[in-house]
Amino acid sequence: MTTNAEEPKPRPRRRAPAGAAVLREDVTEAIRAAVFEELAAVGYARMSIEGIARRAGVGKTAVYRRWRSKLHLVLDVVSAIAVQGLPVPDTGSLEGDLRLLYEVTSRALRHPVASQIIPDLQAEAARNPEIAEALQKALREGQAGVASKIVAAAQERGEVRGGVDEELALDMISGPLYWRSVVIRSPKLPKGYLASLARATAAAVTAL
């Protein structure tokens, strides 16, 4: 028996478009690490995609497949700092939590790479609003997220009154160490400084 109806033709199998290979995470991480090293070595203004690729041991194409420019690469890497955040101390007291926070933050800020990158990016932030926004997110929001949890825990323990001005408390917690380590870049903290800072800040926040 014959029929005029045409048999349905099988659909051709779709092929993945050229260049759609999965981006290797180890290559991405190598590029991110190279960005920090290159920033510390030459600064943002002199940093180049070529230098980053060379330091990461990859071709320029590998960088451009992930980020379309030097600016977007740096913005991504700096913004990632805020996402990683700092560990939230849980010592059982406001002063103890602040002391641990200051110890961890101080070590991070005094890392040779960070101590060179942050001032350079601050200078670039004055000229580039996108870098300014990313740097603010990394330096303030990352720290503030931890500080707000410290204040909340102190409120639950009854060390800090409810309804305290949280923004003021966060400024008091985060300000002094950043001033000394990032702004004036003191080469070495005085002996016992972090313990004294934690004690004074705890007393000030408690008095709010």
Side-chain angles (χ1 to χ4, degrees):
M1 183 177 180
T2 61
T3 178
N4 293 330
E6 294 184 357
E7 293 291 335
K9 296 181 180 180
R11 294 181 179 180
R13 298 179 63 182
R14 296 181 64 182
R15 294 182 179 181
V22 177
L23 299 178
R24 288 173 48 187
E25 186 61 27
D26 59 330
V27 173
T28 302
E29 290 306 311
I31 295 171
R32 287 194 173 113
V35 170
F36 282 109
E37 295 173 4
E38 194 74 359
L39 277 171
V42 303
Y44 177 81
R46 294 175 56 197
M47 188 179 73
S48 65
I49 295 296
E50 290 81 358
I52 293 169
R54 183 168 55 251
R55 193 178 289 271
V58 301
K60 288 191 300 181
T61 303
V63 180
Y64 282 118
R65 287 178 64 193
R66 292 162 172 82
W67 299 277
R68 64 178 183 267
S69 69
K70 177 179 78 170
L71 173 61
H72 289 89
L73 174 52
V74 171
L75 290 177
D76 175 66
V77 172
V78 172
S79 297
I81 299 174
V83 176
Q84 295 172 2
L86 296 168
V88 180
D90 185 17
T91 65
S93 72
L94 176 58
E95 182 178 334
D97 287 352
L98 291 175
R99 171 71 181 272
L100 186 55
L101 173 66
Y102 290 150
E103 289 176 352
V104 173
T105 304
S106 178
R107 285 197 297 270
L109 292 176
R110 290 177 179 279
H111 188 281
V113 174
S115 64
Q116 295 180 63
I117 289 176
I118 293 174
D120 181 62
L121 288 180
Q122 285 180 319
E124 290 296 329
R127 298 184 288 269
N128 190 312
E130 290 182 280
I131 290 182
E133 182 180 356
L135 190 60
Q136 181 182 20
K137 181 179 179 65
L139 291 181
R140 178 165 177 76
E141 291 186 10
Q143 179 85 3
V146 176
S148 64
K149 292 177 181 178
I150 290 176
V151 172
Q155 288 176 320
E156 291 180 2
R157 292 191 297 262
E159 294 178 279
V160 176
R161 68 174 179 82
V164 68
D165 185 337
E166 186 170 303
E167 282 297 315
L168 179 56
L170 300 186
D171 287 343
M172 294 171 67
I173 291 172
S174 303
L177 187 57
Y178 276 97
W179 167 260
R180 181 176 284 270
S181 300
V182 177
V183 180
I184 65 174
R185 304 183 70 185
S186 177
K188 186 177 181 181
L189 294 177
K191 184 177 181 180
Y193 175 80
L194 295 180
S196 298
L197 178 60
R199 185 167 54 252
T201 304
V205 172
T206 302
L208 289 176

